[in-house]
Amino acid sequence: MLLLIVVSNTAFHLWAARHGPSGWQPVDGSWADRAAQFTMITVLDLRVYPLFAFLFGYGMMQLYQRQVEAGARGRAAVGILRRRSLWLIVIGLSHATLLMAGDIVGYYGVLSLVLGLLFVRRSERALKWWIGVAAVQLLLISALPVVTALLRGELGSLGDAAAEPVFAAYASGEESFLVAVGTRLTTGLFVTFVAAPLALVGGGYLVFLLGFWAARRRVLEEPGRHLRLLRRTAVGGIAIGWLGALPAALAHVGAVDVPDDAQSAEGVLTVLRDVTGNAAGIGYVAAVALFAHWWTHARPGDRSRWGGKAVVAVSAVGKRSLSCYLAHSLMFSPLLAAWGLGLGEHLTSATMVVFAVGVWLVTVVGAYALERAGRRGPMETLLRRLVYRT
């Protein structure tokens, strides 16, 4: 997840490139850059956030259940989740203001604050009912206008190509750090306190609740008991997600001719990519769970051949996901932004992917070192002290 996130986030620091109507990916470069853009639109953009949301919800339910099993009353366990959510909002806004405007920790902090209070203690039957409600909301509010526009052939009926491009909200091209801070703070406040509540109205909490339900069933801890569900979810979810993003990817590289409004941030193709991204995110989770099941049942020789230390190192990153996520921005923002060293001016879509993978590998090495030393990540330690007050 963190590898996909850092590849997606660093693309917004190509501040000197020429961007298209969507404002997400540049529209220039070599064949390698175009291939990178096509792949990211199909596989990553608006697909990693649902993956994060599912795991976020799953982790919340795990935390609640552990507290209850340890003897805590339900209300006390919910109180821990509430404090955790509030501190995540503080951490997320600080991260957005200082380094990366597209922070999602504060966004999910707001969602977890509301959803934790409303749903974490609900029965499995009630969770299923509200999952259905969220799915209907998502279909009616987001998907229905897109389907209507596609059936009528009015691709330009939604969106505005003249709107401010998305990458501008990151202020990566601003030479003044203080001016960039102001822009990022504005973006962070909007994402946290406007976009998050809108997600509650528009069914954007669907993936969160699916994470709650899956944690109740211990789908990720015991994948062997859910192989049919995981296989269907992996194949179906990834297929829906990639096919839903394919029109936007083809339009971006010029393979199909569509109105600019259709490719804008609120356009038909972008919304279609966003809605189907939920299926892709859950499909990615299922695919990793299937790999984990295979790995734990593989023969020792097979594990060694496939790189046992690599799996341990990546797992170490997962245990320190908040620290590694923030470390990404601590490395790439000062290096890439115009207010820092400005390297984003000289990189392209393809070389930025290589740079992002390098940033992720640095965090893998650091997490592996902490794992061998038996130490938590610094942000995990801090958050634990803030939440448990010890």
Side-chain angles (χ1 to χ4, degrees), residues 208-359:
F208 238 106
L209 294 189
L210 286 171
F212 283 4
W213 175 84
R216 288 270 183 89
R217 291 295 188 93
R218 296 180 60 84
V219 173
L220 299 186
E221 292 98 325
E222 302 171 359
R225 296 176 51 202
H226 308 277
L227 290 179
R228 177 180 293 183
L229 172 65
L230 290 171
R231 288 171 183 146
R232 290 179 176 178
T233 303
V235 174
I238 293 174
I240 292 171
W242 289 6
L243 289 174
L246 188 59
L250 292 173
H252 182 85
V253 299
V256 295
D257 185 21
V258 299
D260 286 348
D261 287 344
Q263 301 180 62
S264 65
E266 304 296 333
V268 170
L269 300 188
T270 304
V271 176
L272 176 63
R273 180 170 48 132
D274 188 5
V275 173
T276 56
N278 293 293
I282 299 173
Y284 292 160
V285 175
V288 174
L290 289 170
F291 171 81
H293 175 72
W294 170 83
W295 180 263
T296 55
H297 290 81
R299 293 174 297 179
D302 293 333
R303 295 186 188 183
S304 177
R305 182 180 62 186
W306 283 87
K309 289 185 178 180
V311 172
V312 172
V314 174
S315 299
V317 173
K319 295 177 183 179
R320 299 157 183 84
S321 55
L322 182 59
S323 295
C324 292
Y325 170 70
L326 297 176
H328 291 168
S329 302
L330 195 60
M331 284 187 280
F332 71 65
S333 291
L335 292 175
L336 300 175
W339 51 263
L341 295 182
L343 297 182
E345 180 182 11
H346 308 289
L347 295 178
T348 65
S349 295
T351 54
M352 184 64 83
V353 171
V354 177
F355 173 86
V357 173
V359 168

Side-chain angles (χ1 to χ4, degrees), residues 10 45 69 73 108 110 115 131 160 163 174 191 198 216 232 249 268-269 282 292 299 311 315 321-322 327 354:
T10 49
D45 292 348
E69 290 169 1
R73 299 180 62 181
Y108 287 128
V110 171
L115 298 178
I131 286 171
D160 181 10
E174 177 57 58
V191 170
L198 287 176
R216 288 270 183 89
R232 290 179 176 178
V268 170
L269 300 188
I282 299 173
R299 293 174 297 179
V311 172
S315 299
S321 55
L322 182 59
V354 177

